[in-house]
Amino acid sequence: MTESNNRPALTHINGCGEAHMVDVSEKNDTVREASAEAVVVMHPDTLSMIIDGRHHKGDVFATARITGIQAAKCTWQLIPLCHPLMLSKVTVDIRADRPNSRVRITSLCRLSGKTGVEMEALTAVSVAALTMYDMCKAVQKDMSIERVRLLSKSGGKSGDYQVAEHD
């Protein structure tokens, strides 16, 4: 079913306009993968403190990485209409970009199943970024979390997607 503007209809809305969880029981299991990113922008001295290991709360990157992985596994508990998924792989990569005084967080989620993992990848980077903010807010309150977006997805009926540009 499509809307009048040739865009797909919203799958989480039933014929009466009510939110519902999509029934995926008839779908075939396929390998599905998604990657996402978030960018945390901060002052150069805040970034140096994290990189140099001088943060009084400990290893900010390690904590954010573990939190992002855990968040991906709990996405169905946070987003009401997401299915609980048996993820076979979750990675969270954190890279400091000193020249631009920012940190780029990327995630990769994979499974063999009936539904995609885009929300898990997006949740991983979002919560990892929020963890970095939480750990550093005593030092800098005006950090920003930017460019939370899906980078790619593969598998499933809707096919593959790749963001047009990466940096």
Side-chain angles (χ1 to χ4, degrees):
M1 172 186 267
T2 59
E3 295 176 346
S4 60
N5 61 1
N6 293 326
R7 289 189 157 187
L10 297 174
T11 58
H12 290 77
I13 305 295
N14 68 17
C16 298
E18 303 162 333
H20 73 104
M21 188 172 182
V22 175
D23 182 0
V24 296
S25 60
E26 299 299 318
K27 288 184 169 186
N28 293 323
D29 283 358
T30 60
V31 175
R32 294 153 184 270
E33 186 174 282
S35 64
E37 78 171 346
V39 175
V40 182
V41 180
M42 61 190 70
H43 296 157
D45 55 328
T46 304
L47 182 56
S48 291
M49 179 185 61
I50 294 168
I51 293 169
D52 298 342
R54 294 181 286 114
H55 196 288
H56 69 282
K57 289 189 176 182
D59 190 335
V60 175
F61 289 175
T63 303
R65 184 178 299 107
I66 291 166
T67 305
I69 291 167
Q70 186 64 29
K73 294 168 27 177
C74 294
T75 299
W76 68 276
Q77 294 172 314
L78 300 169
I79 313 283
L81 302 177
C82 283
H83 294 84
L85 301 179
M86 291 296 296
L87 297 167
S88 58
K89 179 177 181 129
V90 178
T91 63
V92 174
D93 185 52
I94 300 174
R95 300 274 183 226
D97 177 1
R98 277 192 197 253
N100 294 303
S101 192
R102 65 185 189 171
V103 175
R104 182 171 185 248
I105 305 166
T106 57
S107 68
L108 173 75
C109 294
R110 183 182 304 138
L111 62 65
S112 179
K114 298 176 184 297
T115 190
V117 292
E118 296 93 334
M119 294 309 301
E120 287 70 16
L122 287 162
T123 299
V125 297
S126 298
V127 176
L130 289 169
T131 299
M132 289 186 65
Y133 184 92
D134 180 53
M135 290 184 76
C136 297
K137 70 182 183 275
V139 174
Q140 181 186 348
K141 292 185 179 16
D142 66 345
M143 291 175 287
S144 64
I145 298 170
E146 302 176 359
R147 214 169 64 192
V148 176
R149 64 181 179 163
L150 184 68
L151 296 175
S152 65
K153 64 120 359 224
S154 63
K157 188 171 91 173
S158 67
D160 296 350
Y161 166 80
Q162 180 77 37
V163 71
E165 94 290 341
H166 266 303
D167 68 6

